[in-house]
Structures are given as structure tokens and as C-alpha cells.
Amino acid sequence: IRGEARSVIAAAAPAPAPARAPAAVEVPKPERPKAPVGAPAAPKAPVQAGATTGDGVVTAPMPGTISDILVKEGDRVARGQVLVMLEAMKMQNEIMAGRDGVVESIHTSKGASVNTGDPLLTLRA
């Protein structure tokens, strides 16, 4: 074809395919060892023992709010018995007797705010 201009359309090279995200790989979670049948349950979180001074005063081990008092004056208590529930950092802490005795007096009330070392109650031998 004479005198005619030919237009040549060059085909553009195909665009590279977008990079594919790697397929999600499922990592198996480690299995907890199963306790044998009849095995004792896992121990509970430790409870707080109130500090008992030489004169029998049970004090708060941390600051918090008294949520419950589980004894009354004149009650006989044993070492490790829960006396008071103390809420601290949105957790209930059991305050236990550090020794056997009788509740002589209670120095706090339900709903009271206490600081570390504040007297909660007095036990006499």
C-alpha cells in the first residue's frame, strides 16, 4: 500500500499480576496434657492471710474495700479460716485467721475502705 500511513499499535506488555498474599497457615495450638482420671483438680489461687500482730490484731494486707465480714464478735475461729472478704483491683481476696482464737472485736464494717496495715479485727487466744 503506497502512500498510506499505517498505524502500528504495539500491544502493551501485559501488566505483572498483583502479588498474591501467602495463604494463611494454621498453626496447631499445643495441647494441654490431660490429667489422669481421678487426679485432683488444679489448686485454687492462693488466698491472703491477714497479718496478725503479737496482740492478735488482724490487719489488711493491701488497700481495698471490705465486701463482707464472715465472723462476728465472740466467734471461735481456726487458723486459715476466712474472716473477711477484701475487694482490691476488682478481685475478691479472702483474709484468713493467722492463728486459732476468738473474735474479740471487729474494727471495720462492710463497704469500708481500708489501707495496708489498717486493723480489721482482734483475735484473742
Side-chain angles (χ1 to χ4, degrees):
I1 313 179
R2 235 188 203 193
E4 290 182 24
R6 275 188 180 185
S7 58
V8 176
I9 300 175
R20 295 173 109 185
V25 176
E26 210 171 297
V27 178
K29 293 181 181 178
E31 288 188 36
R32 285 185 168 174
K34 297 188 185 217
V37 176
K44 293 182 180 179
V47 292
Q48 293 288 323
T52 305
T53 62
D55 57 357
V57 177
V58 177
T59 59
M62 66 187 79
T65 302
I66 303 298
S67 58
D68 203 3
I69 299 173
L70 304 170
V71 294
K72 59 187 181 307
E73 290 180 3
D75 284 355
R76 180 164 295 282
V77 297
R79 179 186 174 116
Q81 180 177 338
V82 179
L83 306 171
V84 176
M85 296 298 292
L86 175 68
E87 183 178 334
M89 297 181 286
K90 300 194 182 214
M91 292 181 59
Q92 292 293 324
N93 297 280
E94 297 176 325
I95 308 304
M96 302 180 306
R99 67 180 194 193
D100 295 346
V102 175
V103 179
E104 184 174 276
S105 58
I106 298 175
H107 308 292
T108 190
S109 60
K110 189 173 178 178
S113 292
V114 295
N115 291 309
T116 304
D118 284 356
L120 302 176
L121 52 89
T122 302
L123 296 177
R124 66 178 148 83

